[in-house]
Amino acid sequence: MGSREVLGQAARLASSGLLLQVLFRLITFVLNAFILRFLSKEIVGIVNVRLTLLYSTTIFLAREAFRRACLSGGAQRDWSQTFNLLWLTVPLGMFWALLLGWVWLQLLEVPDPQAVPHYGSGVVAFCLSAVVELLGEPFWVLAQAQMFVKLKVIAESLSVILKSVLTAFLVLWVPHWGLYIFSLAQLLYTAVLVLCYVIYFTKLLGSSESTKQQTLPVSRMTDLLPNITRNRAFVNWKEAKLTWSFFKQSLLKQILTEGERYVMTFLNVLNFGDQGVYDIVNNLGSLVARLIFQPIEESFYIFFAKVLERGKDATLQKQEDMVVVAAVLESLLKLALLTGLTITTFGFAYSQLALDIYGGVMLSSGSGPVLLRSYCLYVLLLAINGVTECFTFAAMSKEEVDRYNFTMLALSSSFLALSYLLTQWCGSVGFILANCFNMGIRITQSLCFIHRYYRKSPYRPLVGLRLSLALLGAFALSGGITAISEDWEEGARCRSTGFLLPEAAGRKRKAHCWGYPAGAVLSITIKVPSNCQAETVKSRGCLPGAGDSA
């Protein structure tokens, strides 16, 4: 499969994933906003921080390295060895579930049974759900490798919606069940997720007339199961060694990704109620990252990993492919930067309104608005880091990945120390500031790698991070107008005769204040897709060096 075909499939995967996720996330957004009005902050803190951290840590340590290793390289591979390697995630997940479950039950602070009942059952259920989800790992990797555009998004979104519906139903009818509610919902989520993949491939492989079935590296469901033969190794040792390198890196990346939750869980710098508020704001702030940046990062990591040969710089790659890769990387960097700046500009002024709509007074008062405003800056860094690391991890050799692990180790230690110190100084906002510092260092590392990668070539994809003065002026104007509108409304409230301004009128005025500067930004940013398209068209018959003209 040529680079352009891979690019087309990756683009369809990202765009379709984006549209479907927006639709399904909107449904779960409404359901979660409804559920929040019936829960205490303590319950939210235990479920969203303590138990979710247990589940995500088990899943991440058991499968992340396997996913990255098995999605790297071209189509020429022995898929039976790849599936054998992927099935090792199940016993590995059992090991982590038992170890971490014991830590969560025996070493960590147990919440008050009156405020948070059935904590032990919740720990067991979340560990079990992690192991159940790992049963679908071979199906997930095969679907990603074949770029089945809608399967992943529909499976995950359907699982999340059913989980939210069950949670809402149980919260209304049996609120005294406590953590039983979220335990059942979590088990339903993982069961539905795995069943979606199993049912899909069962029907696909059972239909001999399907064009998709003819392109698959397997012909029946039993081919996806572990297969032991005497004439070849059980696993591909090259993939296994790459998995070990990614495992060491994933351990460090998990600490960096979930570092604030580890600090909250093991060092008790915040009580369960404050942890709940922080996590809600964190999830709301990262909504755009999950909706937009994550599908793009996952889809184009597959594109870069399939087109590039690891360990070779740009001059040693196929030059026809490098033209496309450089143009895609430049366009992704520009898209990430513009999206992040837009969120930062408008999100700073409208944080309190967003929290009031989503969770009511529990979120819009206190530290909630300050947390969300700080998170808007973090989203900008998340956007850039997602694209830069997407390319970096796809292009690095095994030795470079190992060297990068040492940098991540030092960064992990400094991040945890900085998180603890900053939370002592400025409360929960310190977690976001530490994350910004961490993300800035990671971006710098990736940019240095990309610069070295293209140093001897005529391509300069990092120009995607350069913005025109007109565009910067539009963002500055937008930020000024939205800040003035926020101050004006607060002043009007203070001048009112003991009554707040009508909420609908306040929101209408905010919408007008947002609309005018947003139009100015949109009129400039709308040029980006056309420029990217022109670059891609030019590259189809281009000479090496076309990337310099951007």
Side-chain angles (χ1 to χ4, degrees), residues 252 256 402-412 441 445:
L252 301 174
L256 293 174
D402 289 335
R403 288 196 298 268
Y404 188 80
N405 289 338
F406 289 103
T407 304
M408 296 280 280
L409 177 61
L411 190 57
S412 300
I441 299 297
Q445 292 286 328

Side-chain angles (χ1 to χ4, degrees), residues 8 82 85 111 147 150 172 180 211 327 389 406-407 450 495 504 506-507:
T82 300
L85 184 64
M147 291 189 175
K150 297 180 181 179
L172 284 177
Y180 282 156
T211 55
E389 284 196 346
F406 289 103
T407 304
I450 296 173
R495 290 192 298 271
R507 292 177 183 173

Side-chain angles (χ1 to χ4, degrees), residues 65-322:
F66 291 85
R67 282 187 171 185
R68 288 193 174 275
C70 293
L71 286 174
S72 300
Q76 301 300 323
R77 67 171 73 189
D78 187 336
W79 274 97
S80 63
Q81 292 180 321
T82 300
F83 292 140
N84 289 341
L85 184 64
L86 288 169
W87 279 111
L88 295 178
T89 60
V90 177
L92 185 61
M94 292 179 179
F95 166 77
W96 286 116
L98 291 173
L99 176 62
L100 295 174
W102 178 82
V103 171
W104 256 244
L105 288 173
Q106 301 297 325
L107 301 184
L108 297 182
E109 176 190 359
V110 177
D112 182 8
Q114 299 297 324
V116 185
H118 313 302
Y119 172 73
S121 300
V123 170
V124 173
F126 274 72
C127 287
L128 179 60
S129 70
V131 176
V132 170
E133 185 169 342
L134 292 173
L135 294 173
E137 200 59 22
F139 304 95
W140 186 93
V141 170
L142 180 59
Q144 288 293 99
Q146 297 298 313
M147 291 189 175
F148 290 166
V149 176
K150 297 180 181 179
L151 173 60
K152 175 178 177 291
V153 177
I154 292 178
E156 292 183 356
S157 301
L158 179 62
S159 303
V160 171
I161 290 175
L162 292 177
K163 174 185 175 182
S164 299
V165 170
L166 179 62
T167 303
F169 176 80
L170 295 177
V171 163
L172 284 177
W173 288 96
V174 283
H176 59 280
W177 279 17
L179 292 184
Y180 282 156
I181 296 173
F182 300 94
S183 300
L184 292 173
Q186 180 68 19
L187 289 170
L188 175 68
Y189 164 78
T190 54
V192 172
L193 182 62
V194 173
L195 283 175
C196 284
Y197 282 98
V198 172
I199 292 173
Y200 179 85
F201 279 106
T202 300
K203 291 186 175 181
L204 182 62
L205 294 174
S207 174
S208 58
E209 298 179 358
S210 174
T211 55
K212 286 185 177 180
Q213 192 273 344
Q214 297 172 4
T215 62
L216 290 176
V218 295
S219 58
R220 56 186 184 273
M221 287 293 291
T222 55
D223 293 339
L224 290 163
L225 299 177
N227 184 18
I228 302 176
T229 58
R230 295 182 178 179
N231 57 356
R232 66 172 182 270
F234 181 70
V235 299
N236 184 325
W237 288 107
K238 182 179 179 181
E239 286 183 342
K241 292 178 181 179
L242 187 60
T243 300
W244 174 242
S245 297
F246 277 126
F247 176 77
K248 292 182 287 185
Q249 178 185 328
S250 67
L251 182 63
L252 301 174
K253 185 177 179 180
Q254 175 68 1
I255 296 175
L256 293 174
T257 304
E258 302 281 6
E260 68 273 13
R261 288 180 171 85
Y262 288 116
V263 173
M264 281 187 282
T265 299
F266 288 95
L267 299 181
N268 296 323
V269 294
L270 299 176
N271 59 47
F272 292 126
D274 290 341
Q275 290 181 25
V277 173
Y278 173 83
D279 188 77
I280 294 171
V281 173
N282 180 67
N283 288 334
L284 185 61
S286 62
L287 186 64
V288 175
R290 295 195 303 270
L291 287 178
I292 300 177
F293 305 141
Q294 185 177 356
I296 291 175
E297 179 182 353
E298 290 179 351
S299 302
F300 283 94
Y301 172 79
I302 298 173
F303 164 70
F304 291 133
K306 283 180 173 290
V307 173
L308 300 176
E309 293 186 47
R310 289 186 177 275
K312 296 183 179 180
D313 63 21
T315 58
L316 300 177
Q317 305 280 350
K318 294 180 180 179
Q319 292 306 299
E320 180 183 358
D321 292 344
M322 289 310 302

